[in-house]
Amino acid sequence: MKTLITKSVSKASDIIKKGGIVAFPTETVYGLGADIFNEKAIDKVFKAKKRPNDNPLIAHIGNLEQIKFLASEITPNAQKFIKAFFPSPLTIILPKTKNVPFNATAGLETVGIRMPKNDFTLEFLQACETPLVAPSANLSGKPSPTNWEAVYEDLNGEIDCILQGEISEIGLESTVVDCTGNAPLILRTGAITLEDLQRIIPNTKLYKLKRDEVPKSPGLKHKHYAPRAKVKLIQSSELGGQSAENAGFIGLNTPKNDFKVVKICSSIEQYAQVAFDFFRQCDRAKIEIIFCEKVEEKGIGLALMDRLKRASES
Ligand code: AMP
Ligand code: MG
């Protein structure tokens, strides 16, 4: 398949309307979009990404009116979060309508809904005139793409189109919060933090997967975000003493060793924005081990550490 690489919103949205699949920029990471009401197009997304069928997709909307086509009920907690945050890097889980096909939700009776906070993304979503399912536009298991070149690296020839945009501003996937129960439950951390959500609904909790439990969020059990290189997390007090040969380093402080590929970030926000791209850069440079400096697990640091830990486990 020939993949069209374009900056044209109208060309990209025409492809969606004809049942094709299009990678597009968002403020979190690049997504791989298909019309949520077209089951065949959704199947193509799973196939191109080699994504397990039991991993549900998030619905992306271009305006708030579209929520009623997707959710059978907007719970009071969801209403509060929508009012406080949408458009936003926040995905809310609600009971789905009959219209949403089960291959989008991996058989679940619920659907994740997000309205991205990026003018170009919203222009594209509005031009599509339908909500899009959109997982991250990478091969399953690999680091999520934060620029169109990373999408090209993984999916050129496998998808109909790449809509070229800017580098993703946040660089980590959206926060996912289940709003179907009494207390909102954070299933995946992201740029909308636990503290942000608790300011709106104080009893919002972090979901912790217990051993042997079937996860509430099926995606949690899948291998994620891993570069080919081995990832090792280190404290800033441990900087120095690592063998720098064929190794990379990313963090906030300057290490003593002379690593082959190095990124010193000026803030945790910048660390989050560039981490996945740094992993890809290290793989291209045939780095064998990537040392990542640990950060404090609060605010967006909690989401960054979640992704770094997952990358180090695989
Ligand atoms: P991705 O689009 O690759 O960022 O993955 C989306 C993630 O959102 C999935 O892996 C799930 O963990 C989560 N998710 C999406 N829809 C649901 C849902 N209906 N219920 C629970 N978790 C969901
Ligand atoms: Mg993903």
PDB file of all heavy atoms in Angstrom, residues 174-199:
ATOM      1  N   SER A 174      -2.779   9.986  26.919  1.00  0.00           N
ATOM      2  CA  SER A 174      -3.745  10.667  27.792  1.00  0.00           C
ATOM      3  C   SER A 174      -3.948   9.952  29.132  1.00  0.00           C
ATOM      4  O   SER A 174      -3.761   8.737  29.241  1.00  0.00           O
ATOM      5  CB  SER A 174      -5.108  10.746  27.078  1.00  0.00           C
ATOM      6  OG  SER A 174      -5.594   9.443  26.796  1.00  0.00           O
ATOM      7  N   THR A 175      -4.366  10.722  30.109  1.00  0.00           N
ATOM      8  CA  THR A 175      -4.846  10.167  31.381  1.00  0.00           C
ATOM      9  C   THR A 175      -6.178   9.456  31.082  1.00  0.00           C
ATOM     10  O   THR A 175      -7.001  10.004  30.352  1.00  0.00           O
ATOM     11  CB  THR A 175      -5.123  11.316  32.387  1.00  0.00           C
ATOM     12  OG1 THR A 175      -3.955  12.119  32.486  1.00  0.00           O
ATOM     13  CG2 THR A 175      -5.540  10.777  33.747  1.00  0.00           C
ATOM     14  N   VAL A 176      -6.366   8.241  31.603  1.00  0.00           N
ATOM     15  CA  VAL A 176      -7.645   7.538  31.408  1.00  0.00           C
ATOM     16  C   VAL A 176      -8.333   7.422  32.768  1.00  0.00           C
ATOM     17  O   VAL A 176      -7.749   6.880  33.713  1.00  0.00           O
ATOM     18  CB  VAL A 176      -7.436   6.126  30.800  1.00  0.00           C
ATOM     19  CG1 VAL A 176      -8.773   5.390  30.671  1.00  0.00           C
ATOM     20  CG2 VAL A 176      -6.753   6.212  29.433  1.00  0.00           C
ATOM     21  N   VAL A 177      -9.565   7.940  32.875  1.00  0.00           N
ATOM     22  CA  VAL A 177     -10.293   7.870  34.154  1.00  0.00           C
ATOM     23  C   VAL A 177     -11.666   7.232  33.953  1.00  0.00           C
ATOM     24  O   VAL A 177     -12.448   7.646  33.101  1.00  0.00           O
ATOM     25  CB  VAL A 177     -10.376   9.268  34.836  1.00  0.00           C
ATOM     26  CG1 VAL A 177     -11.130  10.300  34.029  1.00  0.00           C
ATOM     27  CG2 VAL A 177     -10.976   9.158  36.224  1.00  0.00           C
ATOM     28  N   ASP A 178     -11.894   6.170  34.741  1.00  0.00           N
ATOM     29  CA  ASP A 178     -13.159   5.445  34.677  1.00  0.00           C
ATOM     30  C   ASP A 178     -14.202   6.219  35.482  1.00  0.00           C
ATOM     31  O   ASP A 178     -14.048   6.395  36.698  1.00  0.00           O
ATOM     32  CB  ASP A 178     -12.942   4.035  35.262  1.00  0.00           C
ATOM     33  CG  ASP A 178     -14.184   3.175  35.158  1.00  0.00           C
ATOM     34  OD1 ASP A 178     -15.272   3.714  34.872  1.00  0.00           O
ATOM     35  OD2 ASP A 178     -14.080   1.956  35.370  1.00  0.00           O
ATOM     36  N   CYS A 179     -15.265   6.676  34.814  1.00  0.00           N
ATOM     37  CA  CYS A 179     -16.307   7.472  35.474  1.00  0.00           C
ATOM     38  C   CYS A 179     -17.597   6.681  35.610  1.00  0.00           C
ATOM     39  O   CYS A 179     -18.678   7.263  35.719  1.00  0.00           O
ATOM     40  CB  CYS A 179     -16.560   8.760  34.687  1.00  0.00           C
ATOM     41  SG  CYS A 179     -15.158   9.866  34.684  1.00  0.00           S
ATOM     42  N   THR A 180     -17.533   5.355  35.573  1.00  0.00           N
ATOM     43  CA  THR A 180     -18.767   4.553  35.638  1.00  0.00           C
ATOM     44  C   THR A 180     -19.149   4.212  37.077  1.00  0.00           C
ATOM     45  O   THR A 180     -20.291   3.869  37.349  1.00  0.00           O
ATOM     46  CB  THR A 180     -18.636   3.234  34.826  1.00  0.00           C
ATOM     47  OG1 THR A 180     -17.567   2.468  35.380  1.00  0.00           O
ATOM     48  CG2 THR A 180     -18.370   3.499  33.361  1.00  0.00           C
ATOM     49  N   GLY A 181     -18.201   4.276  38.018  1.00  0.00           N
ATOM     50  CA  GLY A 181     -18.501   3.911  39.415  1.00  0.00           C
ATOM     51  C   GLY A 181     -18.730   5.132  40.282  1.00  0.00           C
ATOM     52  O   GLY A 181     -18.823   6.253  39.778  1.00  0.00           O
ATOM     53  N   ASN A 182     -18.805   4.906  41.628  1.00  0.00           N
ATOM     54  CA  ASN A 182     -19.024   6.031  42.546  1.00  0.00           C
ATOM     55  C   ASN A 182     -17.827   6.971  42.583  1.00  0.00           C
ATOM     56  O   ASN A 182     -17.984   8.171  42.437  1.00  0.00           O
ATOM     57  CB  ASN A 182     -19.317   5.513  43.956  1.00  0.00           C
ATOM     58  CG  ASN A 182     -20.746   5.013  44.042  1.00  0.00           C
ATOM     59  OD1 ASN A 182     -21.591   5.450  43.259  1.00  0.00           O
ATOM     60  ND2 ASN A 182     -20.998   4.093  44.955  1.00  0.00           N
ATOM     61  N   ALA A 183     -16.641   6.368  42.803  1.00  0.00           N
ATOM     62  CA  ALA A 183     -15.420   7.182  42.829  1.00  0.00           C
ATOM     63  C   ALA A 183     -14.710   7.052  41.495  1.00  0.00           C
ATOM     64  O   ALA A 183     -14.533   5.944  41.002  1.00  0.00           O
ATOM     65  CB  ALA A 183     -14.505   6.708  43.946  1.00  0.00           C
ATOM     66  N   PRO A 184     -14.296   8.166  40.885  1.00  0.00           N
ATOM     67  CA  PRO A 184     -13.535   8.070  39.634  1.00  0.00           C
ATOM     68  C   PRO A 184     -12.211   7.329  39.879  1.00  0.00           C
ATOM     69  O   PRO A 184     -11.581   7.508  40.918  1.00  0.00           O
ATOM     70  CB  PRO A 184     -13.271   9.525  39.264  1.00  0.00           C
ATOM     71  CG  PRO A 184     -14.246  10.331  40.052  1.00  0.00           C
ATOM     72  CD  PRO A 184     -14.521   9.559  41.299  1.00  0.00           C
ATOM     73  N   LEU A 185     -11.833   6.504  38.911  1.00  0.00           N
ATOM     74  CA  LEU A 185     -10.664   5.647  39.056  1.00  0.00           C
ATOM     75  C   LEU A 185      -9.700   5.917  37.904  1.00  0.00           C
ATOM     76  O   LEU A 185     -10.073   5.774  36.738  1.00  0.00           O
ATOM     77  CB  LEU A 185     -11.172   4.200  38.977  1.00  0.00           C
ATOM     78  CG  LEU A 185     -10.478   3.115  39.754  1.00  0.00           C
ATOM     79  CD1 LEU A 185     -10.270   3.517  41.194  1.00  0.00           C
ATOM     80  CD2 LEU A 185     -11.303   1.831  39.662  1.00  0.00           C
ATOM     81  N   ILE A 186      -8.488   6.322  38.214  1.00  0.00           N
ATOM     82  CA  ILE A 186      -7.496   6.587  37.166  1.00  0.00           C
ATOM     83  C   ILE A 186      -6.883   5.258  36.714  1.00  0.00           C
ATOM     84  O   ILE A 186      -6.198   4.573  37.488  1.00  0.00           O
ATOM     85  CB  ILE A 186      -6.384   7.537  37.667  1.00  0.00           C
ATOM     86  CG1 ILE A 186      -6.995   8.883  38.078  1.00  0.00           C
ATOM     87  CG2 ILE A 186      -5.308   7.736  36.595  1.00  0.00           C
ATOM     88  CD1 ILE A 186      -5.992   9.874  38.626  1.00  0.00           C
ATOM     89  N   LEU A 187      -7.145   4.878  35.453  1.00  0.00           N
ATOM     90  CA  LEU A 187      -6.632   3.606  34.922  1.00  0.00           C
ATOM     91  C   LEU A 187      -5.261   3.794  34.277  1.00  0.00           C
ATOM     92  O   LEU A 187      -4.490   2.849  34.177  1.00  0.00           O
ATOM     93  CB  LEU A 187      -7.597   3.038  33.872  1.00  0.00           C
ATOM     94  CG  LEU A 187      -9.036   2.821  34.331  1.00  0.00           C
ATOM     95  CD1 LEU A 187      -9.861   2.207  33.211  1.00  0.00           C
ATOM     96  CD2 LEU A 187      -9.092   1.923  35.567  1.00  0.00           C
ATOM     97  N   ARG A 188      -5.008   4.995  33.788  1.00  0.00           N
ATOM     98  CA  ARG A 188      -3.691   5.298  33.212  1.00  0.00           C
ATOM     99  C   ARG A 188      -3.361   6.748  33.554  1.00  0.00           C
ATOM    100  O   ARG A 188      -4.195   7.621  33.346  1.00  0.00           O
ATOM    101  CB  ARG A 188      -3.716   5.094  31.691  1.00  0.00           C
ATOM    102  CG  ARG A 188      -2.373   5.438  31.020  1.00  0.00           C
ATOM    103  CD  ARG A 188      -2.353   5.062  29.554  1.00  0.00           C
ATOM    104  NE  ARG A 188      -3.129   5.990  28.749  1.00  0.00           N
ATOM    105  CZ  ARG A 188      -3.336   5.830  27.424  1.00  0.00           C
ATOM    106  NH1 ARG A 188      -2.848   4.776  26.802  1.00  0.00           N
ATOM    107  NH2 ARG A 188      -4.037   6.727  26.754  1.00  0.00           N
ATOM    108  N   THR A 189      -2.156   6.983  34.064  1.00  0.00           N
ATOM    109  CA  THR A 189      -1.754   8.351  34.416  1.00  0.00           C
ATOM    110  C   THR A 189      -1.308   9.099  33.171  1.00  0.00           C
ATOM    111  O   THR A 189      -0.904   8.495  32.178  1.00  0.00           O
ATOM    112  CB  THR A 189      -0.617   8.318  35.455  1.00  0.00           C
ATOM    113  OG1 THR A 189       0.409   7.443  34.971  1.00  0.00           O
ATOM    114  CG2 THR A 189      -1.102   7.841  36.798  1.00  0.00           C
ATOM    115  N   GLY A 190      -1.379  10.428  33.238  1.00  0.00           N
ATOM    116  CA  GLY A 190      -1.008  11.263  32.093  1.00  0.00           C
ATOM    117  C   GLY A 190      -0.855  12.701  32.533  1.00  0.00           C
ATOM    118  O   GLY A 190      -0.706  12.985  33.735  1.00  0.00           O
ATOM    119  N   ALA A 191      -0.940  13.610  31.568  1.00  0.00           N
ATOM    120  CA  ALA A 191      -0.663  15.023  31.846  1.00  0.00           C
ATOM    121  C   ALA A 191      -1.738  15.676  32.713  1.00  0.00           C
ATOM    122  O   ALA A 191      -1.485  16.672  33.388  1.00  0.00           O
ATOM    123  CB  ALA A 191      -0.517  15.796  30.542  1.00  0.00           C
ATOM    124  N   ILE A 192      -2.980  15.177  32.664  1.00  0.00           N
ATOM    125  CA  ILE A 192      -3.973  15.615  33.655  1.00  0.00           C
ATOM    126  C   ILE A 192      -3.720  14.726  34.874  1.00  0.00           C
ATOM    127  O   ILE A 192      -3.913  13.510  34.823  1.00  0.00           O
ATOM    128  CB  ILE A 192      -5.418  15.450  33.134  1.00  0.00           C
ATOM    129  CG1 ILE A 192      -5.642  16.323  31.886  1.00  0.00           C
ATOM    130  CG2 ILE A 192      -6.431  15.809  34.227  1.00  0.00           C
ATOM    131  CD1 ILE A 192      -5.600  17.818  32.095  1.00  0.00           C
ATOM    132  N   THR A 193      -3.239  15.358  35.930  1.00  0.00           N
ATOM    133  CA  THR A 193      -2.677  14.575  37.039  1.00  0.00           C
ATOM    134  C   THR A 193      -3.744  14.168  38.058  1.00  0.00           C
ATOM    135  O   THR A 193      -4.862  14.715  38.063  1.00  0.00           O
ATOM    136  CB  THR A 193      -1.595  15.407  37.761  1.00  0.00           C
ATOM    137  OG1 THR A 193      -2.234  16.569  38.322  1.00  0.00           O
ATOM    138  CG2 THR A 193      -0.502  15.853  36.798  1.00  0.00           C
ATOM    139  N   LEU A 194      -3.355  13.251  38.941  1.00  0.00           N
ATOM    140  CA  LEU A 194      -4.216  12.845  40.062  1.00  0.00           C
ATOM    141  C   LEU A 194      -4.652  14.087  40.853  1.00  0.00           C
ATOM    142  O   LEU A 194      -5.817  14.250  41.193  1.00  0.00           O
ATOM    143  CB  LEU A 194      -3.425  11.877  40.967  1.00  0.00           C
ATOM    144  CG  LEU A 194      -4.048  11.494  42.305  1.00  0.00           C
ATOM    145  CD1 LEU A 194      -5.321  10.670  42.097  1.00  0.00           C
ATOM    146  CD2 LEU A 194      -3.057  10.684  43.144  1.00  0.00           C
ATOM    147  N   GLU A 195      -3.677  14.977  41.079  1.00  0.00           N
ATOM    148  CA  GLU A 195      -3.961  16.204  41.838  1.00  0.00           C
ATOM    149  C   GLU A 195      -4.989  17.074  41.095  1.00  0.00           C
ATOM    150  O   GLU A 195      -5.912  17.620  41.716  1.00  0.00           O
ATOM    151  CB  GLU A 195      -2.668  17.011  42.064  1.00  0.00           C
ATOM    152  CG  GLU A 195      -1.591  16.304  42.906  1.00  0.00           C
ATOM    153  CD  GLU A 195      -0.660  15.384  42.104  1.00  0.00           C
ATOM    154  OE1 GLU A 195      -1.040  14.950  40.989  1.00  0.00           O
ATOM    155  OE2 GLU A 195       0.437  15.073  42.595  1.00  0.00           O
ATOM    156  N   ASP A 196      -4.863  17.194  39.763  1.00  0.00           N
ATOM    157  CA  ASP A 196      -5.822  17.973  38.956  1.00  0.00           C
ATOM    158  C   ASP A 196      -7.233  17.405  39.123  1.00  0.00           C
ATOM    159  O   ASP A 196      -8.205  18.154  39.300  1.00  0.00           O
ATOM    160  CB  ASP A 196      -5.483  17.886  37.454  1.00  0.00           C
ATOM    161  CG  ASP A 196      -4.193  18.612  37.089  1.00  0.00           C
ATOM    162  OD1 ASP A 196      -3.828  19.550  37.797  1.00  0.00           O
ATOM    163  OD2 ASP A 196      -3.563  18.214  36.085  1.00  0.00           O
ATOM    164  N   LEU A 197      -7.352  16.073  39.022  1.00  0.00           N
ATOM    165  CA  LEU A 197      -8.676  15.437  39.080  1.00  0.00           C
ATOM    166  C   LEU A 197      -9.265  15.538  40.492  1.00  0.00           C
ATOM    167  O   LEU A 197     -10.467  15.768  40.659  1.00  0.00           O
ATOM    168  CB  LEU A 197      -8.593  13.974  38.619  1.00  0.00           C
ATOM    169  CG  LEU A 197      -8.184  13.777  37.150  1.00  0.00           C
ATOM    170  CD1 LEU A 197      -7.943  12.307  36.838  1.00  0.00           C
ATOM    171  CD2 LEU A 197      -9.242  14.333  36.194  1.00  0.00           C
ATOM    172  N   GLN A 198      -8.397  15.386  41.496  1.00  0.00           N
ATOM    173  CA  GLN A 198      -8.882  15.449  42.891  1.00  0.00           C
ATOM    174  C   GLN A 198      -9.350  16.855  43.257  1.00  0.00           C
ATOM    175  O   GLN A 198     -10.179  17.014  44.143  1.00  0.00           O
ATOM    176  CB  GLN A 198      -7.775  14.991  43.851  1.00  0.00           C
ATOM    177  CG  GLN A 198      -7.652  13.468  43.868  1.00  0.00           C
ATOM    178  CD  GLN A 198      -6.568  12.961  44.788  1.00  0.00           C
ATOM    179  OE1 GLN A 198      -5.641  13.695  45.117  1.00  0.00           O
ATOM    180  NE2 GLN A 198      -6.672  11.704  45.194  1.00  0.00           N
ATOM    181  N   ARG A 199      -8.827  17.864  42.571  1.00  0.00           N
ATOM    182  CA  ARG A 199      -9.292  19.229  42.820  1.00  0.00           C
ATOM    183  C   ARG A 199     -10.774  19.356  42.410  1.00  0.00           C
ATOM    184  O   ARG A 199     -11.529  20.123  42.979  1.00  0.00           O
ATOM    185  CB  ARG A 199      -8.434  20.214  42.006  1.00  0.00           C
ATOM    186  CG  ARG A 199      -7.984  21.404  42.811  1.00  0.00           C
ATOM    187  CD  ARG A 199      -6.933  22.229  42.089  1.00  0.00           C
ATOM    188  NE  ARG A 199      -5.631  21.598  42.118  1.00  0.00           N
ATOM    189  CZ  ARG A 199      -4.843  21.418  41.055  1.00  0.00           C
ATOM    190  NH1 ARG A 199      -5.223  21.810  39.866  1.00  0.00           N
ATOM    191  NH2 ARG A 199      -3.673  20.835  41.191  1.00  0.00           N
TER     192      ARG A 199
END
